[in-house]
């Protein structure tokens, strides 16, 4: 069942999204070679709790597996749901960080892929295409379009670049539950699926692989990897369907005040030095 939100509820979601964004900015300050995933996770948990909120993923259970941390931290070939460990980040890593928080009964949930130091041109291009695909999906989140329009926009943009679009994991509605109806796949046919109505709030979150779309899951029950071991990127926004133009409730601005987006790094590199 899909619950369309009132403006009051949307404001609550905007507040939750804002906290997640500011938490991700704290993460951005710590993403550098030598930092361990657990250290960064602890910073995020502390930040969320000192702002009268709770981490949304810590204790989240699927099929008897309980997620143990605040952030999902997914390095290189890990697509999503990576568990923070003592791994120390290395120059050239891609780090996808997904953050969820519950504030005043409403959830925030969004994700950003960071570059650790200088990354390869191939990985920067992957980040750029994934980011672009997210926005192409968001453009479709308007009154009268269908879920399949979002899915198709994401899929076609990424497959045109030869990338693998993960099919087994999807975006979702969000509100007083972390995961609500409808599901928002990153692949599908335009003009199909549920018709979108104003007040529908959802997370659009392309998970895009440099190689195969196939994934595997580690024995921990969480860590999802690209089956061919090639890197993966993940950007997620929280949006509300509006009559004319989708409204994005989340923001990458706090993050990008701290760090250059990975998808702009190559452009920066090409700037002639004086
Ligand atoms: Mg999500
Ligand atoms: Mg998420």
């Amino acid at each position: 069942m899909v619950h369309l939100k009132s403006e009051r509820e949307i404001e609550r979601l905007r507040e939750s999204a804002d906290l997640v964004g500011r938490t991700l900015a704290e993460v951005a300050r710590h993403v550098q070679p030598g930092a361990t995933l657990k250290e960064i996770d602890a910073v995020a948990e502390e930040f969320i709790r000192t702002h009268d909120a709770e981490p949304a993923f810590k204790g989240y259970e699927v099929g008897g597996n309980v997620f143990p941390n605040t952030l999902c931290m997914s390095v290189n070939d890990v697509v999503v749901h990576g568990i923070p460990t003592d791994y120390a980040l290395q120059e050239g890593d891609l780090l996808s960080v997904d953050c969820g928080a519950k504030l005043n009964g409403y959830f925030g949930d969004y994700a950003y892929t960071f570059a650790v130091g200088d990354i390869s041109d191939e990985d920067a291009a992957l980040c750029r295409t994934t980011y672009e695909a997210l926005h192409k999906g968001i453009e479709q989140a308007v009154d009268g379009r269908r879920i399949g329009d979002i899915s198709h926009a994401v899929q076609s943009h990424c497959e045109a670049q030869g990338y693998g679009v993960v099919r087994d994991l999807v975006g979702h509605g969000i509100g007083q539950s972390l995961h609500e109806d409808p599901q928002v796949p990153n692949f599908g046919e335009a003009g199909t699926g549920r018709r979108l109505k104003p007040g529908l709030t959802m997370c659009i979150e392309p998970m895009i692989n440099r190689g195969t779309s196939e994934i595997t899951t580690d024995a921990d029950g969480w860590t999802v990897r690209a089956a061919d071991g090639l890197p993966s990127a993940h950007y997620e926004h929280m949006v509300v369907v509006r009559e004319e133009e989708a409204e994005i409730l989340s923001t990458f601005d706090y993050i990008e005040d701290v760090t250059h987006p990975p998808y702009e790094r190559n452009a920066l590199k090409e700037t002639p030095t004086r």
Side-chain angles (χ1 to χ4, degrees), residues 11-25:
E11 180 55 27
R12 284 280 160 87
L13 286 165
R14 199 180 282 114
E15 289 164 2
S16 299
D18 189 78
L19 177 59
V20 170
R22 288 184 291 127
T23 306
L24 287 169

Side-chain angles (χ1 to χ4, degrees), residues 27-162:
V27 168
R29 284 184 237 285
H30 291 82
V31 170
Q32 53 187 310
T36 73
L37 304 183
K38 271 190 178 165
E39 287 165 4
I40 297 171
D41 182 69
V43 167
E45 179 168 1
E46 169 81 11
F47 190 85
I48 289 169
R49 292 195 190 279
T50 57
H51 289 83
D52 302 320
E54 288 169 35
F57 304 156
K58 194 166 191 171
Y60 192 87
E61 186 184 332
V62 178
N65 292 314
V66 177
F67 194 79
N69 292 82
T70 292
L71 301 176
C72 294
M73 304 188 80
S74 305
V75 179
N76 295 332
D77 65 318
V78 179
V79 178
V80 286
H81 303 165
I83 296 172
T85 63
D86 289 319
Y87 174 79
L89 292 170
Q90 295 182 27
E91 178 91 16
D93 282 344
L94 270 193
L95 171 67
S96 298
V97 178
D98 199 344
C99 181
K102 185 183 187 185
L103 175 67
N104 297 321
Y106 286 81
F107 283 91
D109 167 22
Y110 63 101
Y112 192 88
T113 298
F114 295 89
V116 182
D118 275 334
I119 56 172
S120 70
D121 291 349
E122 290 83 358
D123 288 351
L126 171 70
C127 290
R128 178 184 293 277
T129 297
T130 306
Y131 175 90
E132 288 169 349
L134 169 59
H135 284 274
K136 289 190 179 291
I138 291 170
E139 280 172 17
Q140 299 298 321
V142 292
D143 187 17
R145 303 273 171 83
R146 292 177 181 272
I147 289 286
D149 294 322
I150 298 172
S151 306
H152 177 75
V154 171
Q155 179 184 15
S156 57
H157 186 67
C158 296
E159 290 187 345
Q161 306 295 318

Side-chain angles (χ1 to χ4, degrees), residues 1-3 5 13 107 109 147 170-184 200-205 236 238-239:
M1 208 187 71
V2 168
H3 169 58
K5 275 40 172 207
L13 286 165
F107 283 91
D109 167 22
I147 289 286
V170 297
H172 51 92
I174 188 165
Q176 289 181 277
S177 301
L178 178 59
H179 297 124
E180 298 185 351
D181 287 340
Q183 292 198 342
V184 187
L200 173 63
T201 50
M202 62 188 153
C203 293
I204 300 177
E205 47 179 315
E236 175 178 18
M238 296 166 59
V239 305

